Amino acid sequence: GQNIDQPTEMTATEGAIVQINCTYQTSGFNGLFWYQQHAGEAPTFLSYNVLDGLEEKGRFSSFLSRSKGYSYLLLKELQMKDSASYLCAVRGSNDYKLSFGAGTTVTVRA
Amino acid sequence: GAVVSQHPSWVICKSGTSVKIECRSLDFQATTMFWYRQFPKQSLMLMATSNEGSKATYEQGVEKDKFLINHASLTLSTLTVTSAHPEDSSFYICSAGEAGLQYFGAGTRLSVL
């Protein structure tokens, strides 16, 4: 089975940094994804990690440790528009099938 | 990135009627598409995997006779919610795989009265 855990909610101030942690226990591992989802909209792809280490894309970075079953998404220089739900998802095999965590709602305050 | 189109974006129907949702890959061919359901403040729950030219694979607990999936071409999958009831009201999202990533449609909000 798949077990993916992430915090329910986080609040941060505009301009600050927030780190969203994700731990997983899955049968097989073939990549970890982070998606952003605004209320009432479909998820949009943010990052993908399949090897250990840090992937940086502008203000967003994602880290993976396969031995620890752990990932985090780092959001820097927070903007109001970053208020959204962030979903951690794991691909367990070679097909495209993903298992999603419950999502972390990030609220950015002025 | 690849584009997935989902239609309609919003539908209201009476209890007992059927509703069809379309998912199209616009600029790529998708042999596999996925259908998810999302209740308010919850994550995406995979309902089924739609396979072009063959039967869909349903997740445990999802009624295949209630949620009919057809994937007749490499660019189109449809989900039909048959005899819809108020408890079927939800946000339905499709996705398609391309170059190792899943791309999502904009979602369909279904309200059953």
Side-chain angles (χ1 to χ4, degrees), chain A residues 7 11 22-23 32 41 45-46 58 63 65 68 79 90 98-99 110:
Chain A
T11 302
C22 173
T23 57
L32 187 142
E41 299 179 11
F45 170 76
L46 289 179
F63 171 83
S65 170
K68 296 181 179 179
Q79 302 175 8
V90 174
L98 295 176
S99 296

Side-chain angles (χ1 to χ4, degrees), chain A residues 30 33 35 45 48 91 95-96 98, chain B residues 96-103:
Chain A
N30 193 29
F33 299 77
Y35 285 87
F45 170 76
Y48 166 64
R91 184 165 65 194
D95 60 26
Y96 286 103
L98 295 176
Chain B
E98 165 70 359
L101 299 179
Q102 272 199 38
Y103 294 91

Side-chain angles (χ1 to χ4, degrees), chain A residues 57-106:
Chain A
K57 290 178 66 176
R59 294 189 298 114
F60 294 171
S61 303
S62 58
F63 171 83
L64 175 67
S65 170
R66 289 173 296 170
S67 61
K68 296 181 179 179
Y70 167 71
S71 173
Y72 68 72
L73 178 69
L74 195 68
L75 286 63
K76 305 174 192 175
E77 301 170 18
L78 280 173
Q79 302 175 8
M80 299 299 286
K81 67 178 182 180
D82 297 329
S83 293
S85 180
Y86 292 84
L87 306 174
C88 173
V90 174
R91 184 165 65 194
S93 61
N94 288 325
D95 60 26
Y96 286 103
K97 190 173 176 179
L98 295 176
S99 296
F100 283 85
T104 299
T105 300
V106 172

Side-chain angles (χ1 to χ4, degrees), chain B residues 52-71:
Chain B
E52 188 270 332
S54 64
K55 291 182 179 180
T57 304
Y58 290 82
E59 295 299 303
Q60 192 171 11
V62 178
E63 300 175 58
K64 61 180 182 181
D65 294 330
K66 180 169 183 62
F67 298 99
L68 300 179
I69 292 173
N70 183 279
H71 194 155

Side-chain angles (χ1 to χ4, degrees), chain B residues 78-96:
Chain B
T78 62
L79 168 69
T80 301
V81 183
T82 62
S83 185
H85 291 286
E87 58 264 31
D88 298 323
S89 297
S90 187
F91 191 50
Y92 292 86
I93 307 175
C94 73
S95 72

Side-chain angles (χ1 to χ4, degrees), chain B residues 1 3 11 15-17 26 37 44 62 73 77 82 84 95-96 107:
Chain B
V3 179
V11 59
S15 185
T17 60
L26 295 187
R37 180 167 52 183
L44 280 71
V62 178
S73 78
S77 174
T82 62
S95 72

